[in-house]
Amino acid sequence: TLFRSPMANNPEQLFGDYGPNPPADDVSTPLQGLTPLATKVNYAAGCDDTVCQKYDRTQLQYALEASNDIVFVALGTGQVVEREGKDRPDMELPGQQKQLLQDVLSITPAGTPIVLLLFNAGPLNITFADQDDHVAAIIECFFPAQATGTALRHVLLNDVTGAVPAARLPFTW
């Protein structure tokens, strides 16, 4: 299993700006929540933060050289990019996140499923990912807060009552 992206292990950015500020130890990130499902986990952020001005493609290539049964890419805005009183100028992924995802799509061996996890408040232009056959699933998480990783694990495994994703969105894009 490979986790790739600035939102995979970033507890501060999983909350909207009206959320609490719990200690990072009390937050379950996507990486923490899904790690128990794997026998081996390769993780690399790729970007230094959600703004993603500094992107390291070499880190990505190194991580993708390892054998991976599935690749999770967690992208989005976080409060740094969008929040009450701070609107985005467009619907594009911040900084070089689009390039990161395009590189994952081009480098990942055929047949390896890629799951795109999105963490944001408003819509994002992911048309290219939606139309790419390598992307097995796109999960819009919005700002899910404290139990993010645990909730993702339950949704993916459908192992608790009420964990079934219903594909309901508060808006369309």
Side-chain angles (χ1 to χ4, degrees):
T1 303
L2 171 68
F3 283 92
R4 193 72 198 133
S5 50
M7 295 295 288
N9 201 31
N10 191 340
E12 296 83 25
Q13 294 303 307
L14 296 174
F15 295 83
D17 58 331
Y18 292 111
N21 293 314
D25 294 354
D26 293 339
V27 178
S28 170
T29 67
L31 177 63
Q32 293 165 334
L34 299 177
T35 292
L37 302 178
T39 53
K40 181 181 177 191
V41 174
N42 297 314
Y43 167 72
C47 297
D48 54 344
D49 57 22
T50 56
V51 178
C52 198
Q53 294 303 315
K54 295 178 184 173
Y55 165 54
D56 185 355
R57 188 174 197 273
T58 307
Q59 204 180 61
L60 170 73
Q61 289 174 307
Y62 176 75
L64 287 171
E65 285 176 3
S67 175
N68 298 294
D69 295 325
I70 189 168
V71 175
F72 288 95
V73 182
L75 302 176
T77 60
Q79 299 172 51
V80 173
V81 176
E82 71 177 327
R83 63 179 178 271
E84 188 72 34
K86 184 172 182 164
D87 295 334
R88 292 181 286 140
D90 55 42
M91 293 188 347
E92 302 303 319
L93 288 164
Q96 296 187 52
Q97 287 188 33
K98 181 177 181 179
Q99 185 62 53
L100 183 153
L101 182 54
Q102 288 173 327
D103 288 345
V104 168
L105 294 173
S106 67
I107 297 171
T108 302
T112 303
I114 298 170
V115 177
L116 175 59
L117 306 172
L118 295 174
F119 299 90
N120 50 286
L124 292 168
N125 179 8
I126 54 162
T127 306
F128 69 97
D130 184 41
Q131 296 172 348
D132 193 300
D133 292 337
H134 289 94
V135 179
I138 299 172
I139 301 175
E140 173 56 74
C141 301
F142 296 104
F143 290 144
Q146 192 165 343
T148 299
T150 304
L152 277 170
R153 184 175 65 246
H154 290 315
V155 166
L156 291 172
L157 295 177
N158 190 24
D159 64 352
V160 297
T161 303
V164 181
R168 295 182 190 104
L169 297 173
F171 47 76
T172 357
W173 70 91

